[in-house]
Amino acid sequence: LRHMIDLAHSLGMRVSILPFLALSQDPTHYWTQIGTAFTTEEQWRAWFTSYRQIIVQYATFAQDAGADMFFIGQELSSTTHRAADWRRIAQEVRQVYKGRIIYEALNSTGGGGTGAGASPPFGEEQRITWWDAVDYIGVM
């Protein structure tokens, strides 16, 4: 990855890094459903602790590699109602990454939810209350 970033920069290109979640051990569910089955605060804390650790690790890499922009998340629509947790992620990323940060939401087009009791994935950009914690708003 570092080689590709260096190559892109040598060609005058800018680079953004977007860590992407996939549930390889559970192909019947999607990343947009993370948290929909959580029933306790402990489950939320455990997930966000784990996510923060990995996203800060990638942000550190992005800083070291000279990436021009870093995505703190993408389409995690069942988690973004937890504004304090996302603000903490943005804050911790900013401690190690000095470039611009972005979160990419699912847009209002499309339809349907992700199952019984799940938050609908679409329209995420309208439900996020912590947009001020990032530099750019991404909408997919």
Side-chain angles (χ1 to χ4, degrees):
L1 182 57
R2 179 64 185 259
H3 171 74
M4 294 306 297
I5 292 168
D6 291 343
L7 177 60
H9 282 151
S10 76
L11 297 172
M13 301 170 108
R14 293 181 182 227
V15 175
S16 63
I17 295 180
L18 187 160
F20 183 80
L21 293 181
L23 306 177
S24 63
Q25 300 300 314
D26 187 0
T28 62
H29 292 94
Y30 297 97
W31 62 96
T32 59
Q33 295 172 298
I34 291 172
T36 58
F38 292 173
T39 58
T40 68
E41 185 63 25
E42 183 177 324
Q43 290 170 308
W44 281 110
R45 274 194 304 271
W47 188 84
F48 272 103
T49 296
S50 177
Y51 187 77
R52 266 194 326 275
Q53 288 172 347
I54 194 71
I55 211 71
V56 168
Q57 180 180 341
Y58 275 103
T60 301
F61 170 80
Q63 178 65 33
D64 293 344
D68 302 287
M69 186 182 303
F70 182 75
F71 286 72
I72 64 170
Q74 176 194 30
E75 301 175 3
L76 295 168
S77 59
S78 295
T79 70
T80 53
H81 66 283
R82 300 199 41 106
D85 290 310
W86 280 101
R87 287 181 184 283
R88 183 172 176 189
I89 287 169
Q91 178 185 26
E92 289 187 22
V93 164
R94 288 189 189 282
Q95 290 175 4
V96 298
Y97 179 72
K98 304 309 175 194
R100 301 293 186 172
I101 64 172
I102 184 170
Y103 177 85
E104 185 176 294
L106 282 168
N107 69 27
S108 296
T109 61
T114 57
S119 298
F122 298 102
E124 178 186 15
E125 83 284 3
Q126 295 175 17
R127 295 187 308 272
I128 291 176
T129 61
W130 46 269
W131 282 125
D132 59 305
V134 297
D135 300 307
Y136 292 103
I137 295 171
V139 181
M140 176 71 135

